[in-house]
């Protein structure tokens, strides 16, 4: 990347998280990796998926133009190089000429253009659409060159393009209307079969442009009980497992044949309020809820203390010390006064929704919150839903409150613009916006000076905590457990399992 704009972009998104890259020796004779997880994918359309379980699967099959490495640096995906123009209003990619889809067709600039046109089409319902609204037009001067012409400089655009929700899909499949019914990407693995809530069978994509793959394939078993996954690891029936429950993960180091990988992640546990519903349309009520919640107690009780209390921004480069944010020290007396000032001295009743299994701590978080809010007169009914039902309900904004686990990003704008801007495509989920939030987001989007961006997003975070549409709780860890003969997996703070492309079994 060249030019002053590009240099400030890289300095603005670079984060050091202390996770090194591994050099993997590929064995002469590979094997099939036997894997397990507790929550299955809910769909196969990479542009529409919000559930972590879907994203974890599809990241093995599809590729974006660029990706984030283990240090949250921009790394090649389908594209092998990229460059902003000096004014920041044009972004050019050179595609890897060896990149092929799993149907044998080359990945071309026409596929990239069709993919982003699909994302930008409101009819698609793409969850990351708001990240790409600065794209005014797309040029394809040759099969391996894509030029994005922008309506304004857009610092976080490149980071947004690292998401699975920005995956490049075949133009032919878009035309055929088969995106979501088939999974044809350019990633390291092919999806050979999928029995929902039971198993997935993946085979290595021998034509993958990213290099040699250390295993012949991956057989994934869906075992909803993570204690059963641990039992299968103990008996050697499973080689590798994704764990979400800290109650189970913390037992792994006690097993002599197993190893645990524990990585701080950018995703965050949050209590989402619905400010479009009474009485949470009143600022004092939302602030009362914020003051009544002991975030550390929620984390300690539901997640065994496995994590840290967080404000809205979870990336180290931008995060504010939570103790400096509104009411992060629990103050029940202040909460009661705020409730009384709003006319609810005797409290009110509401329902909080939670998903089964994503995260496994959701129900426990809801129970702790229920107990804490009872102290200020709020009677909270907990409604636990299957994940696919929860996701549909959540996307419609059809809840009073929701216990959620939401994804993070290396850049604040690409993390939050879909919620907290006036053009955000998940405004129905957030149900709140004001001029200050929108203005700060737009300023942060265009500002190229890293120090000024940090100051802008510090103001954004402070204001968001004060208006309290959501109550941010804590960030946790990503866990994988593997047999000690499984080598080469590199975790990332995004929680991606893409590192399985370089795993080998010794």
């Amino acid at each position: 990347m060249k030019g002053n704009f590009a240099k400030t972009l890289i300095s603005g998104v670079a984060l050091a998280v202390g996770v090194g890259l591994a050099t993997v020796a590929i064995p002469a004779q590979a094997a099939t990796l036997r894997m397990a997880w507790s929550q299955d994918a809910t769909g196969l359309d990479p542009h529409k998926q919000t559930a972590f379980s879907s994203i974890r699967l599809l990241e093995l099959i599809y590729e974006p133009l660029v990706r984030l490495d283990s240090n949250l640096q921009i790394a090649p995906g389908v594209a092998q190089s990229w460059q902003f123009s000096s004014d920041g209003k044009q972004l050019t990619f050179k595609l890897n000429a060896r990149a092929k889809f799993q149907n044998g067709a080359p990945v071309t600039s026409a596929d990239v253009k069709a993919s982003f046109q699909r994302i930008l089409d409101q009819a698609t319902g793409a969850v990351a659409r708001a990240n790409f609204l600065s794209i005014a037009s797309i040029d394809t001067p040759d099969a391996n060159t894509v030029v994005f012409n922008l309506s304004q400089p857009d610092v976080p655009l490149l980071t947004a393009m690292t998401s699975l929700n920005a995956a490049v899909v075949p133009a032919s499949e878009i035309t055929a209307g088969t995106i979501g019914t088939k999974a044809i990407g350019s990633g390291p693995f092919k999806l050979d079969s999928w029995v929902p809530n039971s198993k997935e069978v993946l085979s290595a994509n021998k034509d993958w442009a990213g290099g040699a793959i250390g295993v012949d394939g991956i057989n994934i078993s869906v075992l909803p009980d993570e204690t059963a996954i641990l039992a299968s690891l103990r008996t050697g029936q499973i080689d590798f497992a994704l764990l979400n429950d800290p109650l189970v993960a913390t037992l792994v180091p006690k097993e002599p044949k197993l190893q645990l990988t524990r990585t701080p992640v950018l995703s965050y546990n949050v209590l989402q309020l619905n400010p479009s519903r009474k009485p949470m349309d009143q600022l004092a009520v939302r602030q009362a809820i914020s003051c009544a919640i002991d975030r550390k107690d929620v984390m300690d009780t539901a997640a065994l203390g496995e994590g840290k209390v967080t404000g809205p921004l979870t990336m180290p480069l931008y995060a504010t010390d939570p103790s400096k944010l509104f009411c992060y020290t629990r103050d029940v007396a202040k909460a009661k006064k705020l409730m009384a000032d709003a006319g609810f001295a005797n409290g009110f009743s509401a329902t909080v929704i939670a998903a089964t299994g994503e995260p496994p701590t959701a129900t426990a978080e809801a129970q702790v919150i229920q107990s804490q809010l009872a102290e200020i007169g709020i009677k909270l009914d907990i409604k636990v839903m299957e994940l696919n039902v929860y996701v549909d309900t959540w996307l419609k904004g059809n809840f009073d409150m929701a216990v959620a686990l939401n994804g993070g990003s290396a850049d604040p704008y690409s993390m939050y613009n879909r919620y907290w801007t006036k053009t955000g495509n998940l405004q129905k989920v957030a149900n709140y916006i004001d001029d200050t939030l929108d203005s700060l987001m737009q300023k942060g989007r265009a500002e190229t000076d890293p120090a000024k961006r940090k100051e802008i997003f510090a103001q954004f975070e402070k204001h968001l905590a004060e208006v309290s549409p959501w109550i941010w709780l804590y960030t946790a860890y990503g866990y994988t457990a593997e047999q000690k003969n499984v080598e080469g997996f590199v975790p990332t703070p995004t929680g991606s399992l893409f590192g399985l492309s370089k795993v080998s079994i010794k």
Side-chain angles (χ1 to χ4, degrees), residues 14-344:
L15 303 175
V17 293
V19 183
L21 293 172
T23 302
V24 181
I26 304 300
Q29 292 185 333
T32 296
L33 184 76
R34 300 167 300 169
M35 179 178 158
W37 55 29
S38 61
Q39 195 68 251
D40 200 10
T42 60
L44 297 178
D45 187 335
H47 297 156
K48 296 183 179 181
Q49 297 310 305
T50 59
F52 282 96
S53 53
S54 299
I55 292 169
R56 297 292 85 94
L57 173 65
L58 296 179
E59 282 173 331
L60 301 175
I61 301 164
Y62 289 97
E63 289 187 294
L65 282 164
V66 286
R67 65 176 78 253
L68 291 174
D69 67 16
S70 60
N71 291 314
L72 296 180
Q73 300 290 326
I74 306 292
V78 172
Q80 61 183 8
S81 65
W82 50 94
Q83 180 177 328
F84 273 103
S85 60
S86 58
D87 65 357
K89 294 181 69 174
Q90 198 172 70
L91 176 57
T92 301
F93 290 91
K94 291 291 185 181
L95 306 185
N96 188 330
R98 300 190 310 277
K100 291 183 179 180
F101 290 112
Q102 292 144 6
N103 59 7
V107 180
T108 70
S109 57
D111 298 301
V112 176
K113 181 175 182 177
S115 296
F116 278 89
Q117 286 177 330
R118 181 176 190 263
I119 291 168
L120 286 167
D121 183 352
Q122 279 189 293
T124 302
V127 294
R129 177 178 176 270
N131 285 334
F132 306 110
L133 295 180
S134 67
I135 298 173
S137 63
I138 305 172
D139 295 331
T140 55
D142 60 57
N144 292 321
T145 306
V146 185
V147 181
F148 291 89
N149 302 301
L150 310 180
S151 59
Q152 65 174 73
D154 191 345
V155 173
L157 180 64
L158 194 61
T159 302
M161 287 178 168
T162 66
S163 168
L164 181 274
N165 294 141
V168 178
V169 302
S172 59
E173 299 297 321
I174 296 174
T175 301
T178 55
I179 304 296
T181 60
K182 296 186 203 175
I184 300 175
S186 60
F189 294 96
K190 303 177 185 179
L191 180 62
D192 294 331
S193 65
W194 176 36
V195 181
N197 299 313
S198 178
K199 64 180 180 180
E200 292 94 11
V201 176
L202 296 91
S203 59
N205 177 12
K206 303 299 184 184
D207 294 326
W208 184 47
I213 299 169
V215 293
D216 292 328
I218 306 175
N219 290 346
I220 304 174
S221 299
V222 181
L223 303 175
D225 184 350
E226 289 198 0
T227 58
I229 293 178
L230 180 57
S232 295
L233 284 163
R234 283 172 176 153
T235 58
Q237 296 173 290
I238 294 296
D239 302 310
F240 183 97
L242 174 66
L243 299 175
N244 295 309
D245 191 342
L247 296 171
V248 175
T250 51
L251 298 175
V252 173
K254 299 177 182 179
E255 301 295 328
K257 295 181 180 179
L258 303 179
Q259 54 194 356
L260 178 72
T261 302
R262 179 176 178 268
T263 309
V265 292
L266 301 178
S267 56
Y268 55 93
N269 297 70
V270 63
L271 174 65
Q272 296 183 199
L273 309 182
N274 186 341
S276 72
R277 292 191 176 180
K278 295 182 180 300
M280 285 167 293
D281 59 338
Q282 296 192 42
L283 174 61
V285 170
R286 300 194 304 271
Q287 290 183 329
I289 293 170
S290 179
C291 293
I293 289 179
D294 184 334
R295 294 156 172 86
K296 189 174 187 303
D297 184 42
V298 175
M299 179 183 71
D300 289 346
T301 304
L304 298 182
E306 285 281 292
K308 65 178 183 179
V309 171
T310 187
L313 300 183
T314 62
M315 64 293 292
L317 184 63
Y318 290 97
T320 298
D321 179 353
S323 67
K324 297 179 180 179
L325 297 174
F326 176 80
C327 236
Y328 263 68
T329 298
R330 191 183 193 218
D331 191 335
V332 175
K334 183 174 182 177
K336 287 181 176 178
K337 183 179 185 307
L338 285 163
M339 288 285 283
D341 290 346
F344 290 92

Side-chain angles (χ1 to χ4, degrees), residues 36 120 137 143 392 396 418 467 489:
L120 286 167
S137 63
D392 287 343
K396 293 173 183 174
R418 56 186 178 170
V467 295
F489 178 70

Side-chain angles (χ1 to χ4, degrees), residues 131 268 311-315 406-407 409 411-421 441 460 464 470 472:
N131 285 334
Y268 55 93
L313 300 183
T314 62
M315 64 293 292
N406 291 346
S409 173
D411 188 272
Y413 184 85
S414 56
M415 181 168 171
Y416 280 129
N417 83 87
R418 56 186 178 170
Y419 299 115
W420 310 116
T421 63
M441 286 293 273
F460 165 81
L464 193 53
W470 296 356
W472 279 261

Side-chain angles (χ1 to χ4, degrees), residues 431-458:
N431 279 300
Y432 180 86
I433 189 64
D434 61 35
D435 291 341
T436 300
L437 287 176
D438 186 76
S439 174
L440 290 170
M441 286 293 273
Q442 301 309 330
K443 287 179 182 176
R445 178 190 193 185
E447 180 57 65
T448 60
D449 182 87
K452 291 179 180 178
R453 289 195 91 224
K454 189 169 183 178
E455 182 180 331
I456 289 167
F457 284 114

